[in-house]
Amino acid sequence: MPSNSIDSLLHETRRFAPTAEFSAQTGASADLYKAAKEDRLEFWADKAREYVHWHKPFTETLDWSTPPFAKWFADGELNVAYNCLDRHVLAGNGDRVAIHWEGEPGDNRRITYAELTAEVKRAANAMAALGVGQGDVVAIYMPLIPEAIIAMLATVRLGAAHSVVFGGYSAESLRSRIDDASATLVVTADGGWRKGKVFPLKAAVDAALATGESTVKNVLVVKRGDNDVQWTEGRDLWWHDQVEAADPEHEAQGFPAENPLFVLYTSGTTGKPKGILHTSGGYLTQAAFTHKNVFDLKPETDVYWCTADVGWITGHSYVTYGPLANGATQVLYEGTPDTPNQGRWWEIIQKYGVSIFYTAPTAIRSFMKAGRQIPEQYDLRSIRVLGSVGEPINPEAWIWYRNVIGAGTAPIVDTWWQTETGAIMVSGLPGLTTLKPGAAQVTIPGIKIDILGEDGTRVDPPNGGLLVVSEPWPAMLRGIWGDPERFKETYWSKFPQLDSPKYFAGDGAHVDEDGDIWLLGRVDDVMNVSGHRLSTTEIESALVSNHIVAEAAVVGAADEATGQAVVAFVIIKSNQESAQTAAEASALLRQHVVKEIGAIARPRDIFIVSELPKTRSGKIMRRLLQDVAEGREIGDTTTLADTTVMQIISDKLK
Ligand code: WTA
């Protein structure tokens, strides 16, 4: 076995061909792959003309003369907000619902494209009056309410860029992001609803701005939580005062395709967060194209729901820009899935007739843990396409998702991409792709991805290696805000021996005999046991496929005999907890992994725990579990959603 391979030992052989009925109605066709193959750049130029309205048409498609700095459609001009709003109204679709918003306490708002356009125009005028224009950065720190989207669109309508900071981040995180991008305006709310309570946001903005000189001149505050707020005269302004009084007319001006659209900081497991910079024309093209084709969107009839917060890239590309550029009708829900009861999401799907549903494996696993009897109480027959994003989906979670949420028939698109890629890069297309549970499978038409060994050569399938994007793509990051050197070093320096620079994504992947891609997790999550590289994801999937397991996290721990050893942290399903002791459960699961994958993957230790440490975006922080597994002092836990979890785990294992 070549030493640069990542062994993929989990054999998943189930296949799900599209139904004839679905294929007959899908908008995507195999011609997309054909056209992209014939002339990749011409394909993207066509898509840019098809999906985007240009104030001034572009004549050049890609400028890659100074890699890794790309320019797409550079001499064209567009207004991104106009593309998401005005053009739908002008096309006669002003009465179509853009957003069905559901507040956590049960209040709701229905906003048409005409209403959303009018509101964004007023907000843009209000912000312009505060001095916002091209070259400025607006920080947005909001609950998931329509004004979060309105603020994003008003910012980019003026040619300024936004930096959305997830509402769950601390005052310190907010401040460091404000400083890094020199934001001049902060848009926030008094508070938002979460788990049955109002959480204050304005207070965190106050704390963030309390010390030292800041670039922030004004804070615009949306009234949502009705909680008490402190007021700094001259700096703080109520959104409703400013926006309601603003001129309702605003003509959208065209800005260059490479005008900065937003900066978004990656959650960063180590080091200072990176401000990922995205620009306008290429980003919008790929976000809209993928949103339409990956989800088989029919804007006239579908009701789409992506459960991501706009504080994450998924919320940028598949709540704000993709869906609105396509004139889709979507659901936006403020709160948590289990408030006031565990059926809240399914109730929302039933209420609005959601037909396309896009969520994350971590959510799916938590619903599996709670049991199928909960979704089964709701009418989910409107669902016709399911999506997954954020981490590899375990085959068992995939099957559950399809059977319980998708009536056993809905195609699941497992979409691989990153904050940096801006839009979906790898995913099957529903109605075209024969699906394999656990595999993201095929590149999007027009995207070139390779799986390379450490030496930079393509691995021979079936085999594992490192995922790289081999050609520039329209929605690619244009840099790290203020740090071009870090941009080059982080993403483009892994394979210096190659003639043309390739983007290194940091993920391991296996390519099977059909050429399909299976993501194996971050390469820092790949371990080496007795000279074999094993993926944490595969072992986790094996564990989760056992009926007693609700959730599992696996790390590689230093081991004298084998280099690294497999250490697993497992949550047992609540109805199974009393069936055996922890020692019995560990023994049973060790045997189970041997059966599923092989003796090479047998965990050295299995710890039964009640929680796993997760970031606010739901990613398991394996680094911390590795500290426990290797008997080290536990590292920085400040990015955990619940910072007490590691204490509970380490106390339990003492
Ligand atoms: C992981 C989220 C496997 C991957 C859009 C990537 C996935 C990182 C998938 C980016 C998937 C995302 N299958 N792994 N379908 N989607 N990932 O920036 O490790 O929050 O590098 O973007 O999530 O996370 P980010």
Side-chain angles (χ1 to χ4, degrees):
M1 188 171 307
S3 63
N4 64 13
S5 70
I6 295 171
D7 306 339
S8 177
L9 304 174
L10 184 70
H11 298 293
E12 173 54 62
T13 53
R14 287 168 284 191
R15 300 287 179 270
F16 298 87
T19 62
E21 197 188 347
F22 195 101
S23 299
Q25 59 78 59
T26 182
S29 99
D31 293 347
L32 289 173
Y33 293 106
K34 201 163 144 249
K37 208 164 169 200
E38 272 166 16
D39 188 335
R40 203 179 77 87
L41 293 183
E42 199 39 46
F43 171 81
W44 282 120
D46 269 355
K47 296 305 150 203
R49 287 185 281 260
E50 186 182 337
Y51 285 84
V52 175
H53 169 90
W54 295 87
H55 271 65
K56 175 175 168 256
F58 58 90
T59 62
E60 58 185 71
T61 302
L62 170 67
D63 176 354
W64 190 232
S65 55
T66 51
F69 300 95
K71 294 193 186 105
W72 283 86
F73 318 122
D75 62 344
E77 288 181 7
L78 74 159
N79 185 294
V80 171
Y82 178 93
N83 272 279
C84 294
L85 301 164
D86 313 46
R87 70 165 159 158
H88 304 311
V89 179
L90 294 170
N93 294 321
D95 291 339
R96 185 182 298 163
V97 174
I99 299 173
H100 285 294
W101 177 74
E102 180 90 6
E104 197 188 73
D107 50 337
N108 51 71
R109 286 160 68 185
R110 181 180 175 277
I111 306 173
T112 64
Y113 272 94
E115 290 163 347
L116 191 65
T117 304
E119 199 63 11
V120 169
K121 285 181 176 177
R122 268 196 293 268
N125 282 323
M127 287 188 189
L130 297 174
V132 174
Q134 195 181 11
D136 290 326
V137 174
V138 174
I140 298 176
Y141 184 65
M142 297 275 263
L144 200 47
I145 57 177
E147 283 76 8
I149 293 176
I150 294 167
M152 291 167 86
L153 292 173
T155 302
V156 306
R157 191 174 182 96
L158 297 171
H162 53 71
S163 165
V164 183
V165 180
F166 176 57
Y169 275 126
S170 65
E172 297 92 274
S173 307
L174 173 63
R175 176 62 188 251
S176 71
R177 286 157 173 76
I178 286 172
D179 287 350
D180 189 68
S182 309
T184 51
L185 174 69
V186 180
V187 184
T188 189
D190 46 1
W193 284 88
R194 203 184 138 76
K195 288 193 188 290
K197 289 199 290 272
V198 172
F199 67 96
L201 284 162
K202 170 65 165 58
V205 176
D206 292 339
L209 300 178
T211 51
E213 279 294 291
S214 141
T215 44
V216 172
K217 293 192 217 110
N218 291 105
V219 178
L220 257 183
V221 188
V222 178
K223 207 170 181 53
R224 163 64 186 152
D226 272 330
N227 46 320
D228 285 341
V229 290
Q230 307 255 309
W231 212 247
T232 303
E233 288 303 331
R235 185 196 71 184
D236 299 347
L237 300 160
W238 283 112
W239 168 279
H240 55 262
D241 288 343
Q242 302 300 309
V243 173
E244 276 162 29
D247 189 338
E249 266 322 306
H250 183 274
E251 199 183 326
Q253 181 195 330
F255 294 97
E258 286 295 339
N259 193 43
L261 187 68
F262 62 85
V263 49
L264 182 61
Y265 291 81
T266 53
S267 56
T269 34
T270 50
K272 180 172 169 262
K274 296 172 280 197
I276 302 300
L277 171 67
H278 283 286
T279 60
S280 306
Y283 170 82
L284 193 66
T285 299
Q286 197 180 329
F289 168 74
T290 51
H291 180 254
K292 179 95 187 335
N293 291 285
V294 170
F295 298 106
D296 188 44
L297 176 79
K298 313 271 195 297
E300 304 78 20
T301 49
D302 274 314
V303 178
Y304 165 85
W305 184 19
C306 165
T307 62
D309 190 280
V310 292
W312 311 117
I313 190 66
T314 307
H316 281 60
S317 305
Y318 299 104
V319 176
T320 301
Y321 295 109
L324 295 178
N326 287 330
T329 294
Q330 70 176 316
V331 169
L332 189 71
Y333 169 57
E334 178 185 33
T336 55
D338 52 359
T339 307
N341 61 63
Q342 289 188 308
R344 187 66 189 272
W345 275 14
W346 319 123
E347 191 181 277
I348 291 172
I349 290 177
Q350 173 179 287
K351 176 173 173 186
Y352 294 105
V354 170
S355 54
I356 304 172
F357 183 61
Y358 190 29
T359 195
T362 181
I364 298 164
R365 289 193 303 265
S366 78
F367 292 124
M368 282 175 79
K369 185 173 156 194
R372 62 191 294 156
Q373 73 284 356
I374 297 168
E376 276 171 1
Q377 291 161 31
Y378 299 88
D379 181 356
L380 306 179
R381 280 175 302 175
S382 55
I383 286 185
R384 60 180 203 88
V385 179
L386 294 171
S388 173
V389 60
E391 55 178 320
I393 180 166
N394 325 75
E396 291 316 311
W398 196 101
I399 298 286
W400 188 93
Y401 194 28
R402 178 168 164 110
N403 286 343
V404 180
I405 310 304
T409 53
I412 297 178
V413 284
D414 177 1
T415 62
W416 178 88
W417 59 294
Q418 308 176 296
T419 304
E420 293 87 341
T421 69
I424 296 171
M425 303 291 277
V426 184
S427 171
L429 297 185
L432 289 180
T433 313
T434 290
L435 301 167
K436 301 179 179 180
Q441 293 189 277
V442 284
T443 47
I444 293 298
I447 298 298
K448 180 85 176 76
I449 279 178
D450 286 303
I451 312 300
L452 306 182
E454 283 287 347
D455 61 359
T457 60
R458 237 179 263 145
V459 301
D460 266 340
N463 217 329
L466 303 171
L467 187 147
V468 300
V469 189
S470 305
E471 300 285 349
W473 65 103
M476 68 193 278
L477 75 166
R478 299 302 197 263
I480 293 178
W481 190 266
D483 203 345
E485 280 314 308
R486 190 174 178 198
F487 171 59
K488 287 191 213 162
E489 206 180 286
T490 310
Y491 302 108
W492 303 93
S493 63
K494 175 79 185 162
F495 300 103
Q497 67 273 40
L498 304 179
D499 307 338
S500 64
K502 295 198 189 302
Y503 170 86
F504 172 52
D507 279 355
H510 173 88
V511 54
D512 69 17
E513 42 288 306
D514 304 324
D516 282 335
I517 297 171
W518 300 69
L519 272 304
L520 299 173
R522 304 291 305 175
V523 281
D524 28 20
D525 294 339
V526 172
M527 57 194 130
N528 189 324
V529 180
S530 306
H532 295 276
R533 291 191 191 184
L534 293 170
S535 148
T536 52
T537 307
E538 280 189 322
I539 303 174
E540 285 167 10
S541 287
L543 286 164
V544 172
S545 74
N546 187 285
H547 73 283
I548 71 166
V549 175
E551 194 157 10
V554 166
V555 297
D559 185 281
E560 268 185 21
T562 57
Q564 277 188 310
V566 179
V567 175
F569 295 79
V570 171
I571 305 179
I572 303 292
K573 282 188 187 142
S574 47
N575 62 354
Q576 295 289 335
E577 270 164 358
S578 53
Q580 63 269 304
T581 64
E584 286 166 356
S586 301
L588 182 148
L589 292 175
R590 206 168 282 129
Q591 242 348 86
H592 180 75
V593 173
V594 171
K595 186 176 128 261
E596 291 291 306
I597 301 183
I600 175 73
R602 179 194 284 122
R604 183 187 73 190
D605 303 308
I606 294 186
F607 296 118
I608 309 297
V609 294
S610 54
E611 294 286 347
L612 291 171
K614 289 187 183 160
T615 62
R616 292 188 178 85
S617 62
K619 288 200 201 326
I620 295 172
M621 289 193 72
R622 293 187 181 74
R623 173 171 65 78
L624 298 176
L625 293 173
Q626 195 154 20
D627 292 345
V628 174
E630 301 188 337
R632 263 196 309 276
E633 203 178 327
I634 294 164
D636 184 5
T637 58
T638 51
T639 56
L640 285 180
D642 176 357
T643 48
T644 59
V645 166
M646 284 317 297
Q647 195 55 46
I648 295 168
I649 292 176
S650 52
D651 285 351
K652 184 163 177 189
L653 304 181
K654 264 187 193 136

